[in-house]
Amino acid sequence: MNQRETLKVNEKGRLEIGGVDTSDLVKQYGTPLYVMDQKYIEDMCKIYADTLKNEYGDGMICYASKAFSCKEIYRIINNMGIGADSVSGGELYTAASVGFPMEKICLHGNNKTYNELCFAVENKVGYIVLDSYTEADTLDDICKGQGVKQKVLIRVNPGVEAHTHHFIQTAKVDSKFGFSIDSGEAEKVVKYVKEKANLDLVGLHCHIGSQIFETKSFLLAVEKMTDFYQYLKNIGIEFDVLNLGGGFGIYYAEGDEKKSCAEYANYIKNIANELKSAVEKKGLKKPYLILEPGRSIVGEAGITLYTVGRIKDIEGIKTYLAINGGMFDNPRFALYQAKYTVVAAQNMLAKKDKVYTIAGKCCESGDIIAEDCQLPQIKEGEHVAVLSTGAYNYSMSSNYNRNLIPPVVMVKDGKSRYVIKPQTYEDLIRNDI
Ligand SMILES: *Cc1c(COP(=O)(O)O)cnc(C)c1O
């Protein structure tokens, strides 16, 4: 399994999360069901925020809310004193609906719409991260109309190669995100935005990719970004803010590193130390540092519980075990062959002498959750849990095949509660004319 402090196997051989037996969760809420451990989320927020404060000083952790966005998560992270990174009007709206302090939000996106930009400015979002010339023009006009000056950053591309699956790597020169530093594009756009009367360009942003374990890639990004800050300083442009994005890796399955909450603090510590010495060496002002972890805050906090349906044994080839979920609640295998650990939630101590491919119920051959899972013999009606589904599962879910998106239950101190209610068939036809 992973190292989540509150994921345990109890004396009945059943999986427990946050002190709650998954059998009880299945009985109370049914399946498929997303379950999230609130304490894990809070521990991660606290450890990130404390480490940034103690090891660096001025800065802010912004939870990348595209990983898992709903009203309750904005309440939780706000209680933990951290900000949010948002990528759409819908995420901004959700945050605003629970009174989230909008000045602690960074708005991203390579193609924010006019309405999204208006909404962000009206709601006094802290930072808008620009990703094109015309976006700068549009935003400048909107701000002029509303009589405000908006703090902005520009997304740049430091050209750091992070070791991860290429589909989720975003900082290469060929990327739909950001302006390349090496090609000179970044310098051009900095000068362009500097001239905008209603935009206050306070710094730059980069996000080198996702599911990255190597600290070195982040340190390299610090070097490239501070080199560029130094270059700009020499031509008379100085910045107060540096946003280095997110991307810290989590444990999904064998081959991934297992880290405790506390070990995640080391990423922040290493980045902080590298940045402090870089600014000193290069004669820069120490910038306000923004970091945007998403996956590592919620990913390992979540599991998904399913009921096993048909089991198809194809002699000499493989055994498909079909669950009552699939790509509509977790499209990550279908999208980029993401790996997961699957366990027999109510039979954790049994000998794992079977190999199954876990298939979803959608009409799509690619609707697989995990391949080659080592599990005990499983029968129809039993339950399996897929681990580390807290990030990019609910947030990527859909009603494909008009399946219902499962509800989300939060557990803490042995208690559970809905944070997202189950959908109904009524919900599916609500907007149909
Ligand atoms: C997705 C994203 C993040 C978060 O990445 P994780 O891998 O979830 O930590 C942070 N910043 C930006 C701009 C992103 O697009």
Side-chain angles (χ1 to χ4, degrees), residues 77-309:
I77 62 164
N78 188 33
N79 284 338
M80 299 310 295
I82 70 172
D85 141 356
S86 144
V87 293
S88 72
E91 286 182 4
L92 285 182
Y93 180 85
T94 310
S97 76
V98 295
F100 194 86
M102 303 304 272
E103 73 279 6
K104 287 165 102 172
I105 290 187
C106 280
L107 178 65
H108 294 273
N110 68 311
N111 188 24
K112 304 172 206 74
T113 65
Y114 181 78
N115 287 344
E116 285 174 325
L117 290 170
C118 287
F119 187 76
V121 175
E122 275 158 26
N123 283 276
K124 302 191 166 49
V125 161
Y127 304 91
I128 296 178
V129 184
L130 299 172
D131 204 346
S132 82
Y133 286 91
T134 56
E135 183 184 31
D137 299 341
T138 305
L139 185 63
D140 189 51
D141 283 344
I142 293 168
C143 293
K144 191 173 175 194
Q146 294 192 24
V148 295
K149 195 158 182 180
Q150 173 68 47
K151 271 195 233 167
V152 295
L153 304 171
I154 296 171
R155 179 160 184 165
V156 302
N157 206 314
V160 174
E161 288 262 345
H163 288 265
T164 181
H165 197 290
H166 69 278
F167 279 3
I168 44 179
Q169 182 174 307
T170 51
K172 294 178 297 184
V173 171
D174 177 11
S175 168
K176 75 168 185 169
F177 296 111
F179 293 90
S180 163
I181 292 177
D182 295 336
S183 74
E185 271 304 315
E187 178 184 348
K188 261 198 267 173
V189 72
V190 163
K191 288 174 175 163
Y192 186 80
V193 173
K194 261 292 195 200
E195 297 305 312
K196 294 284 174 190
N198 307 286
L199 304 181
D200 181 12
L201 180 61
V202 294
L204 303 180
H205 164 268
C206 72
H207 172 68
I208 59 168
S210 228
Q211 187 57 7
I212 302 165
F213 287 104
E214 272 185 86
T215 306
K216 246 176 82 186
S217 359
F218 296 105
L219 303 188
L220 211 56
V222 169
E223 288 317 317
K224 296 277 273 197
M225 294 298 277
T226 50
D227 280 348
F228 190 45
Y229 272 36
Q230 186 181 30
Y231 171 82
L232 291 171
K233 189 186 168 187
N234 289 338
I235 58 168
I237 300 171
E238 273 193 279
F239 290 134
D240 296 325
V241 179
L242 174 63
N243 183 334
L244 291 171
F248 310 135
I250 67 166
Y251 184 85
Y252 283 106
E254 236 172 82
D256 294 332
E257 288 173 31
K258 291 188 183 192
K259 291 181 187 296
S260 64
C261 278
E263 284 172 291
Y264 278 102
N266 284 331
Y267 282 116
I268 311 271
K269 193 174 165 178
N270 289 329
I271 291 170
N273 287 335
E274 189 79 1
L275 181 56
K276 278 190 295 190
S277 68
V279 295
E280 201 164 306
K281 224 170 30 209
K282 297 170 192 176
L284 299 167
K285 298 197 254 201
K286 190 172 155 215
Y288 182 83
L289 174 60
I290 301 176
L291 294 168
E292 306 174 318
R295 187 190 311 272
S296 56
I297 291 180
V298 291
E300 290 190 47
I303 65 172
T304 311
L305 294 167
Y306 300 102
T307 302
V308 172

